[in-house]
Amino acid sequence: MQENELIIPKHVAIIMDGNGRWAKKKMMPRNYGHTQGSKNVEKICEIAYKMGIQYLTVYAFSTENWVRPKEEIDALMKLLGTYLETSIKTSTKNNMRVRIIGDTSKLSEDIKKSIVALEEASKNNTGLNFQVAINYGGRDELLRAAKALAMDVKANITEIDDIDETFFEKYLDTKGVPDPDLLIRTSGEQRLSNFLLWQLAYTEFYFPEVLWPDFDKKELIKAVEYYSSRTRKFGGLE
Ligand code: FPP
């Protein structure tokens, strides 16, 4: 497919799977895979934006990931902490706006502080809109939204009759972010694993075999080619 035939999705969501297997293939510890995976996040942000993608959302840590060995959780949190700190500089350099989705109340005080600082520092940037899901679960997000909405109804701030899809979306972590057009899950797994359950209702899915640390520009172009070849019908006819 010629580059000028590509239909560029406005919003791409990625489940970055396969860090552990990538490390194992190289006979290295799993955490090495996460470190390389984390480096790849920055590269893909730049490549995606240059291709014309406006929104990118990645699944960095799920509400279910807490059952992993403590050592791996600690390493992932350390990586995320470092990422959040260094992103203050890189987001300025790349004009990128960063938002964190998920239940951040359960994260360490240091990480919470870094999140607030990064979101504040990057909020007026007009380049790539980058969402990082940390302690995120789709069901958890929907429950938190339902609870917040119920509180507003109870406090007479909201009428039950006002609640429609557009209204409900304002209670989601992704408020103001358009739904993903394309979801990519690397490593050949074909599951949603509780990612963006509401937002992925009409999204095209793409499941390449490549492991996340090896997902590069060539792979992103293949994903966009796949997307370009699909006709989206949103429940209607062609
Ligand atoms: C899945 O691979 C990956 C994760 C659970 C973590 C994703 C995190 C990163 C890429 C690094 C930090 C992110 C940012 C935004 C800096 P896996 O461990 O389940 O791999 P496996 O299925 O091969 O074992």
Side-chain angles (χ1 to χ4, degrees), residues 174-225:
T174 49
K175 176 183 168 192
V177 174
D179 288 343
D181 304 292
L182 173 66
L183 169 85
I184 301 168
R185 181 175 189 149
T186 55
S187 89
E189 303 294 339
Q190 304 196 1
R191 289 186 298 279
L192 283 187
S193 300
N194 206 7
F195 193 39
L196 301 173
L197 296 181
W198 171 283
Q199 298 86 343
L200 295 176
Y202 290 103
T203 304
E204 296 292 339
F205 292 175
Y206 179 68
F207 300 110
E209 292 294 324
V210 61
L211 305 175
W212 172 250
D214 288 333
F215 186 88
D216 57 8
K217 182 174 176 183
K218 206 172 75 246
E219 294 289 340
L220 185 59
I221 290 175
K222 275 201 258 171
V224 172
E225 279 177 347

Side-chain angles (χ1 to χ4, degrees), residues 52-65:
I53 292 165
Q54 297 171 45
Y55 293 83
L56 185 67
T57 302
V58 298
Y59 208 1
F61 195 92
S62 77
T63 45
E64 287 73 37
N65 284 150

